[in-house]
Amino acid sequence: MILAKLQKELIDLVGEIAANRREVTEDMLERIERVLARYTTAVRDWEYMVEHAARTDGDISRDLFVLSSAKPLSRKLMLDKTIIEGEVSQPRRDWEILPGWQRRELFRKRTWRARTERFGMAIFGGVALVAPMLLMVLHRDRTTALTTTSVSTLLFAVVVANFTTSPPEAAVGAVAAYAAVLVVFVGATLPAPT
């Protein structure tokens, strides 16, 4: 809510500038600077809260940013403000856990996405190694081995460049290691030229 409010303030200031024929006064600059400072602080706070939720492994009793009727102090505060009724010992509904569900959901989604990406890359890595080797074992000639190694390395480089966020030097290292494995395989399986 705070981030949305600050975004609205920034948009209002931009609207003021547009209505003012794009003339920016010193007062407008100072107001924009104050709102931007509050906005960046709010973003940092949000990121800290998300990181904290990740460290709790979904255990809301360890999450400092979650009010829950399962926690005695939180339960007392919720009862005092009539957010919940009666002497509730455990949360009965999702709405009785305030306000960190968004962070836990975000953490769960990030964790799931990371697992899915790791699984996909592991499958790709296995297929990228086994398929060319299988082809080279079934067709044992130098032309097939060299063509397979070249094409496989090129395809691997394209996938690494397009589907990873690694820096260029890490991508070069991965492609070089992949090519080295294939070259060693070619050298070990092909008969020596006569």
Side-chain angles (χ1 to χ4, degrees), residues 58-174:
D59 180 5
I60 64 167
S61 66
R62 294 176 33 217
D63 195 336
L64 302 174
F65 298 101
V66 174
L67 294 174
S68 167
S69 60
K71 298 177 182 178
L73 179 58
S74 298
R75 183 176 64 245
K76 172 75 170 113
L77 293 171
M78 285 191 237
L79 286 168
D80 288 350
K81 294 297 179 182
T82 64
I83 293 173
I84 59 173
E85 297 176 1
E87 288 297 321
V88 180
S89 59
Q90 293 294 322
R92 293 176 304 186
R93 297 179 207 96
D94 288 342
W95 62 267
E96 290 178 357
I97 299 173
L98 303 172
W101 67 269
Q102 301 96 335
R103 291 180 300 111
R104 286 192 309 278
E105 183 65 23
L106 180 62
F107 170 68
R108 196 171 76 230
K109 284 181 182 176
R110 284 182 179 174
T111 303
W112 177 253
R113 185 179 312 131
R115 282 187 188 139
T116 305
E117 287 174 2
R118 282 194 306 269
F119 181 73
M121 289 306 282
I123 295 295
F124 166 73
V127 169
L129 281 173
V130 172
M133 290 180 186
L134 187 62
L135 182 64
M136 289 185 280
V137 166
L138 294 175
H139 301 281
R140 287 183 177 258
D141 63 270
R142 189 169 309 281
T143 305
T144 302
L146 294 176
T147 304
T148 302
T149 301
S150 300
V151 170
S152 298
T153 302
L154 182 64
L155 289 175
F156 185 82
V158 168
V159 170
V160 168
N162 288 317
F163 296 106
T164 65
T165 57
S166 56
E169 54 274 4
V172 168

Side-chain angles (χ1 to χ4, degrees), residues 169-186:
E169 54 274 4
V172 168
V175 172
Y178 177 76
V181 168
L182 291 181
V183 167
V184 167
F185 182 79
V186 167

